[in-house]
Amino acid sequence: KFYKVVSGPKISSLLDLVKNIDLEYIGVNPRLCPNVRYGEEVCDICLRFCPGECIRFNEDNELNIESKDCLKCGICGPVCPNGVFEPRRPSDSFLFAEISNTIQASDQKAIKFRCSKFGGLYGKVKKKRKEKEVFSICCLARISSMHIIWAYASGAKKVSFTKCDIDCPNHNRGQTAIKEARYVSRKQI
């Protein structure tokens, strides 16, 4: 049998939406967003932190992500207090495993998170002069308080961060997110 493909404004809009979301990098559950639920701007944390400014709400308060503007840094995941965004590359489970591996490989049981712009890819362990283990991540703002707590739970005696490069467009967002993650993790430990 042959079926006629129906195309119209709703189907083409849906196809455009699916085509523009790169599910490999980020999962989105708009029902968890208070702006979508309440139909008005209640929270703007993701908008303030997104370096690509790709998170948008249309006139009907529907959540949209413009994939062409998305830097795939994953900052939206840890900064969203409602769990709307789920970074998938790298996923939290990958980060937790690699954080544990990095600490176990460290003679000093230390971990230093570093922006991958300083070299390296996700989770690659590189030794520095003083044999400190370095964990590279796409953006330091991707590290949440849960990752810091996990590092200590995995045996880290010291958790530190490299400073973001001042020329990085994410510099202020990254530094702010790190400060918040450190503050929250200290309160919880």
Side-chain angles (χ1 to χ4, degrees):
K1 286 186 168 181
F2 293 98
Y3 296 94
K4 182 179 179 184
V5 176
V6 179
S7 66
K10 289 186 179 185
I11 290 178
S12 64
S13 299
L14 178 63
L15 291 175
D16 287 341
L17 179 65
V18 170
K19 184 171 60 177
N20 287 331
I21 295 177
D22 187 351
L23 294 177
E24 192 173 310
Y25 285 93
I26 191 98
V28 182
N29 187 347
R31 293 177 298 175
L32 297 176
C33 179
N35 297 349
V36 173
R37 282 196 317 250
Y38 302 123
E40 59 185 67
E41 187 174 319
V42 177
C43 177
D44 69 346
I45 293 173
C46 62
L47 300 175
R48 287 186 284 132
F49 275 90
C50 178
E53 298 178 356
C54 67
I55 302 169
R56 299 188 180 98
F57 293 92
N58 65 17
E59 58 277 348
D60 296 326
N61 264 355
E62 293 173 338
L63 177 64
N64 294 306
I65 295 179
E66 294 294 329
S67 65
K68 68 181 187 304
D69 297 329
C70 182
L71 303 176
K72 297 167 181 58
C73 62
I75 293 173
C76 53
V79 301
C80 177
N82 301 296
V84 174
F85 306 98
E86 178 192 343
R88 294 187 177 155
R89 194 168 170 193
S91 67
D92 278 337
S93 59
F94 174 83
L95 289 177
F96 289 138
E98 289 302 311
I99 288 168
S100 295
N101 292 340
T102 301
I103 293 165
Q104 297 312 313
S106 170
D107 296 335
Q108 300 173 349
K109 297 298 179 213
I111 187 167
K112 186 171 196 171
F113 292 99
R114 176 179 72 179
C115 174
S116 63
K117 292 187 183 340
F118 285 100
L121 298 172
Y122 306 126
K124 297 293 182 198
V125 176
K126 297 201 176 189
K127 292 192 176 192
K128 289 295 187 184
R129 289 183 196 161
K130 296 181 183 177
E131 298 297 308
K132 290 185 179 178
E133 300 297 343
V134 176
F135 184 84
S136 292
I137 186 76
C138 53
C139 180
L140 291 177
R142 174 68 175 87
I143 301 299
S144 71
S145 59
M146 292 309 300
H147 297 113
I148 297 170
I149 291 169
W150 182 262
Y152 284 115
S154 297
K157 298 195 183 326
K158 182 177 180 184
V159 175
S160 60
F161 295 85
T162 58
K163 291 200 173 193
C164 290
D165 184 358
I166 195 73
D167 295 328
C168 177
N170 299 349
H171 174 74
N172 290 335
R173 290 177 178 99
Q175 292 302 108
T176 302
I178 290 167
K179 285 177 188 172
E180 288 180 13
R182 281 181 159 167
Y183 175 78
V184 169
S185 63
R186 284 184 186 134
K187 291 289 186 184
Q188 293 176 350
I189 291 180

